[in-house]
Amino acid sequence: MPLLEIRQLSPHTRLGLWRMDEPQEGTPRQRERLAEQLLLTAMMDGDTSYSIDHEPSGKPFLTSPLTPLTSHLSISHTRGYVVMLISEDSGVGVDIEYRSDRVERIASRFIRPDEQVESTDEKLLLWSAKEAVYKLFSEDRLAFFDMRVLSIGEGMMQIENKKRDEVVAVSYEFTPDYVLTYAILPAETLQG
């Protein structure tokens, strides 16, 4: 299981990507949890005192018996990959999806009539971006139609949280294997 990268997005926000390519014992979920812990340890510069717990809603959070934590955490998995976004001062949402045409079967469930997307990659990008925004605004319990894509540019898109009438920037990147999306907002913005 190799670490692919740890990327410093800002002074207080880091993104980590782990590839689960070696056969491991246990269920797929157990392998994901192991990859999560290994990635977390790498992102915390080898400090093994940090661990991941989950709220009743399923939202992950960091714990450490040694350090009081105020960090925000988002995690996503797809076939063979785990991505984690950690910030000390901002709310975060991240998603990763392997590239395939499976999104075509469910497109009508998450694409609004006023969103113009045509290609399979655009649909996959929209799905992933809305997942990241959903995680970012987890307390809003957004449905897919509560989010609307306003624009898609090179590596960046704008999505509106219609419940708050707030626009969020979502960064994205495509590789031959996956699409990765993430959104970052100042923590005080999320409280509103």
Side-chain angles (χ1 to χ4, degrees), residues 79 95 97-111 117-131 144 174 179:
R79 185 181 293 173
D95 190 62
E97 300 290 338
Y98 72 91
R99 289 177 84 168
S100 78
D101 64 356
R102 73 192 188 288
V103 73
E104 295 287 348
R105 293 187 303 272
I106 59 169
S108 64
R109 295 185 200 163
F110 67 90
I111 298 175
V117 292
E118 295 178 17
S119 73
T120 299
D121 275 350
E122 287 175 331
K123 292 173 186 174
L124 187 60
L125 174 60
L126 188 69
W127 170 269
S128 183
K130 285 186 175 186
E131 285 284 333
F144 286 114
F174 276 100
V179 60

Side-chain angles (χ1 to χ4, degrees), residues 105-152:
R105 293 187 303 272
I106 59 169
S108 64
R109 295 185 200 163
F110 67 90
I111 298 175
R112 296 167 49 97
D114 55 355
E115 294 172 323
Q116 301 301 312
V117 292
E118 295 178 17
S119 73
T120 299
D121 275 350
E122 287 175 331
K123 292 173 186 174
L124 187 60
L125 174 60
L126 188 69
W127 170 269
S128 183
K130 285 186 175 186
E131 285 284 333
V133 171
Y134 173 83
K135 291 174 183 180
L136 178 66
F137 292 105
S138 60
E139 67 281 354
D140 289 356
R141 291 179 167 62
L142 295 171
F144 286 114
F145 287 95
D146 293 331
M147 297 173 269
R148 181 171 60 122
V149 172
L150 301 176
S151 66
I152 300 175

Side-chain angles (χ1 to χ4, degrees), residues 40-108:
L40 176 62
T41 299
M43 291 178 75
M44 296 303 194
D45 300 319
D47 186 339
T48 58
S49 68
Y50 293 91
S51 62
I52 300 166
D53 205 345
H54 294 82
E55 295 176 0
S57 67
K59 182 178 180 176
F61 64 92
L62 292 178
T63 63
S64 173
L66 306 177
T67 311
L69 298 173
T70 57
S71 295
H72 301 269
L73 171 67
S74 185
I75 302 170
S76 184
H77 313 89
T78 196
R79 185 181 293 173
Y81 294 92
V82 174
V83 65
M84 189 176 296
L85 191 55
I86 300 172
S87 181
E88 296 170 24
D89 62 357
S90 298
V92 294
V94 69
D95 190 62
I96 188 169
E97 300 290 338
Y98 72 91
R99 289 177 84 168
S100 78
D101 64 356
R102 73 192 188 288
V103 73
E104 295 287 348
R105 293 187 303 272
I106 59 169
S108 64

